[in-house]
Every structure is written in C-alpha cells, then in structure tokens.
Amino acid sequence: MTISFSISSACVGKKGPGKKSIGAVRLIGEGEEDDFLVIGDGNNTKSYDAMSPRRGIKRYYSDLYYHFEIDDLRPDKEYSYECLLLKKDDMSSQQYLREDKTTLEISGDNTSVIARGDISTFTTPPAPGQWHSSGRTITFAVLGDLAAKEHSKKTIRHLDRHSESVDAILFAGDLAYPSKDHDNWDKWMDLMSKRDFFSAIPTQIALGNHDLDTYKHGWIYDINESVEIALAYEHRFQMPQIR
C-alpha cells in the first residue's frame, strides 16, 4: 500500500525538504501492533519545475509530493491514517531512519508537528483467494478521460454517491488534460481531493497520452525537436511498475 500526499513548498522553508522538516504517515489499526508511525528518509519526497512551450504561461513550481510504501498491513482490516510534516530538529536519527514498527508517540503539545492532514480510513483487500469477512464481492470502479470540467464534476459526484460499495478504483488515463499548462494538474487534484473516496479507496492511476508533458528546443534534452515525458504524472503518483 502506498500513501501519498502533497504540501506547499512554503511549509518546509527555503532549505527544502529533508533539511528542517520531514514527512510522515501515522497508521492507526485495531490492535497495538497496527499502530505505528512511518517516517520518511528524504528519498520519498519529489518536486519539479517546468517551462511550458505555450507563450504567456509562467514557469511552474510544483508542491512537494510525499510517497510512503506501507508494508505488512493485515488483509481485510480497517486502518485509519493521517499525513504529517514534522520538524526534523525534534527527531533523532534513530527515529526517522528506523526499520522496526515500534509505536512512536508524537508529543502532546505538537512541538514536532508543522502540519497535519485530516484522519482518513481505508480497508485492505482480503488475502489472495479469500472473500471479505462480510462475504460481499469485490467491486471495482473504472473511469477515465476526466479533466476538470463540468461533466467531470458530475462523474465524480456519481462515484462519490456510490463509493461505499467500491473497493478499488482504476483511472484509465487522460486525467487532467493539462494542455501544456501544469496548473491544470493542480485543478484536477483539487477536484479529486475534495471527495472523501480519493483518500479512502485504493486507487490505481494509469498514464494516458493526454497526460504527457511537451517540451521544445532542448529545455531538458539537447535536441531541436519536441519531446514528451511524464514529468507531472511521475511526481504526483507512485504506481506499481515493471522492473
């Protein structure tokens, strides 16, 4: 399971992520062994800036994106979680580089916490070959070609109304239709983050041809022709890949 979140670069100071702050995810389960804090080591933080080939669009600077791979979750169990930005000065190296899952309490006066998100809840899938403990079937929602238009909002509202019966979501590409403007990615993310299901239902996000970024005249590569890369997609999402 990967838990991802973003935060404005203004929250981490001029020295950037890993200098004065570090991301973390707190898991809350049914038993004590399910309560633990996963703290980043700096390698799970991504950000980028980009120039659009379209005239009149200013240079884009992204938020900071944090991606945490959570291992050893028990199947068919409900977990709650919250995303945190912690002061690195208040953390010992043993705490934020640890490999065990010993419960780490955050100080009651919140002196270590710079920012924190709302607490969200998700349910892990059953073990391979097993059914949910309730006996119900597993239901997938599949959608694509969304963008952030009026019809997109109708589709998202429909999914939101039926989300309690959905176990997993597959976005089949062509998400934000950025049209060489990275601000359109932020508009799409804002549209999605307003709905509880986006933080509660496991989601697989595929790359579509309209999600590619276009650069010209060697801004990234030393060539004199347009190139297409998935810069925005690969920073915002951490999906399973063939290795």
Side-chain angles (χ1 to χ4, degrees), residues 37-56:
L37 188 70
V38 180
I39 304 176
D41 59 4
N43 295 322
N44 49 11
T45 309
K46 298 180 179 181
S47 64
Y48 73 98
D49 60 279
M51 279 293 293
S52 171
R54 288 175 55 187
R55 292 184 178 182

Side-chain angles (χ1 to χ4, degrees), residues 34-36 45 62 64 88 90 98 117 122-123 125 127 137 141 152 156 162 168 177 180 189 193 203 208 239 242:
D34 295 320
D35 293 352
F36 54 90
T45 309
S62 77
L64 300 174
K88 192 172 181 180
D90 294 341
R98 65 184 177 79
F122 66 88
T123 300
T137 58
S152 315
I156 295 305
H162 296 83
Y177 283 85
K180 304 181 180 68
M189 295 296 292
S193 61
T203 302
M239 295 292 113
I242 298 175

